[in-house]
Amino acid sequence: MSIQRTGHRYRDVATGKTLDVWFPVSSEPRRRRCLAEKVGFVEGDFVDVAIDSLAAAPVSTEEAYLRLHLLSERSVKPNEINLEGIFGLLPNIAWTSAGPVLPGRVDALRERLAEEFHHLTVTSVDKFPRMTDYVIPEGVRVADADRVRLGAHLASGTTVMHEGFVNFNAGTLGESMIEGRVTPGVVVGKNSDVGAGASIMGTLSGGGKSRNAIGERSLLGANAGIGISLGDDCIVEAGLYVTAGTKVKLPDGSVVAARELSGQHGWLFRRNSQTGAVEAIPTQSQRWGGLNASLHSND
């Protein structure tokens, strides 16, 4: 798959380093304005970015930003394109109320903006900006924009509550409730719920190379977590963390490592309240009732 888009780029005036690129969905040249540009800290220009193959690794900051836009625009799904080396291509940026600047320039910018009667705020210092500053996909709710990075893939009907977090190259494939953490490489199927405080082990920072996922009509309970994939119609009870090596007792009395159940459909994972043993028993999505449809009609 090849693609070519025109974006608006901000660069640091002193070094010429690319800070960010915004690619309007229309692909028509559309200029942004910010106070950091007005007072001479950054400069904006238009840039044409062509990618011959999304299967090849990105080679520039501009190309990395285009790939993140494609994910958040839902033009591609998580794990479908190559993002190898993206951390090295994205500079660390101070995301401010006056626009993006290099972190070392914040104090000078704050001093300069006093003349403009502007109180500078810094929302984050990070390589990734907020998704909603660049892309707002149709049919989604995001309660706290700081918790959804550019490169998140949110299907129509997705609700991300205040404590929910969706990283880049991760997200939902249908109507979903996200109240926990969805880490890179993870996808959540239609009509599934990631409960408050829950987490899904990703592939960064010691998470290994296995890409975990949640199927359709499944529930990851509050403060629960998984280091395996859940198939369709699965439940993990609140507070239970199931890693790949967790020993799980099956209905026939045998005990297996949870990795042997990874991706299988129709399991309820629970901890026996008397023995403390982790158990898996057959279940159906009706055990938790499914999503409230009225909460995910995000028109």
Side-chain angles (χ1 to χ4, degrees):
M1 177 181 176
S2 62
I3 189 168
Q4 181 168 340
R5 295 271 291 274
T6 299
H8 183 256
R9 172 175 59 185
Y10 278 137
R11 293 188 292 176
D12 177 64
V13 168
T15 64
K17 178 179 287 189
T18 296
L19 303 176
D20 81 333
V21 189
W22 172 53
F23 293 92
V25 176
S26 65
S27 201
E28 296 177 0
R30 295 177 60 188
R31 183 177 295 277
R32 299 173 290 174
R33 296 292 192 187
C34 68
L35 278 173
E37 182 179 16
K38 179 182 178 181
V39 299
F41 279 66
V42 305
E43 58 183 1
D45 64 358
F46 294 108
V47 58
D48 293 324
V49 179
I51 301 176
D52 293 331
S53 173
L54 292 172
V59 296
S60 67
T61 303
E62 290 80 0
E63 193 176 309
Y65 264 89
L66 178 52
R67 291 175 190 239
L68 294 175
H69 275 72
L70 292 174
L71 282 160
S72 290
E73 292 169 4
R74 306 188 295 226
S75 298
V76 297
K77 295 179 181 178
N79 305 316
E80 284 188 347
I81 62 176
N82 192 334
L83 298 175
E84 183 178 355
I86 194 170
F87 283 97
L89 296 173
L90 296 176
N92 203 30
I93 299 295
W95 304 100
T96 83
S97 55
V101 296
L102 295 176
R105 302 275 278 163
V106 169
D107 286 343
L109 178 63
R110 180 179 285 113
E111 183 177 357
R112 175 65 181 83
L113 288 179
E115 302 173 16
E116 304 288 334
F117 294 89
H118 177 79
H119 178 77
L120 186 72
T121 58
V122 181
T123 58
S124 67
V125 180
D126 195 8
K127 290 176 175 286
F128 293 81
R130 297 180 295 200
M131 180 192 74
T132 54
D133 291 340
Y134 297 79
V135 179
I136 300 181
E138 184 178 359
V140 306
R141 289 165 57 202
V142 178
D144 186 346
D146 287 337
R147 300 182 65 83
V148 180
R149 276 175 156 180
L150 181 63
H153 179 286
L154 302 183
S156 182
T158 297
T159 298
V160 184
M161 296 301 291
H162 294 80
E163 293 305 313
F165 174 80
V166 185
N167 215 325
F168 77 101
N169 197 36
T172 61
L173 303 180
E175 295 89 343
S176 305
M177 174 65 81
I178 305 298
E179 300 176 272
R181 296 180 59 84
V182 182
T183 48
V186 172
V187 292
V188 177
K190 183 177 181 180
N191 292 322
S192 288
D193 187 325
V194 179
S199 64
I200 306 163
M201 190 179 295
T203 56
L204 300 179
S205 299
K209 296 186 181 300
S210 177
R211 290 173 174 165
N212 295 318
I214 293 179
E216 298 185 356
R217 301 175 303 280
S218 290
L219 170 65
L220 184 58
N223 296 317
I226 51 173
I228 63 171
S229 291
L230 298 182
D232 299 339
D233 303 312
C234 287
I235 302 171
V236 178
E237 75 167 8
L240 175 62
Y241 206 115
V242 181
T243 67
T246 298
K247 301 303 181 183
V248 181
K249 185 177 180 179
L250 300 180
D252 64 4
S254 62
V255 176
V256 300
R259 64 172 59 90
E260 296 186 35
L261 305 178
S262 182
Q264 293 186 15
H265 306 312
W267 286 113
L268 164 61
F269 294 89
R270 68 183 186 185
R271 189 177 294 279
N272 188 296
S273 61
Q274 293 181 314
T275 67
V278 177
E279 302 173 337
I281 63 173
T283 188
Q284 296 176 346
S285 60
Q286 286 85 342
R287 284 181 179 265
W288 69 280
L291 295 180
N292 183 338
S294 64
L295 293 178
H296 302 275
S297 179
N298 298 331
D299 296 330

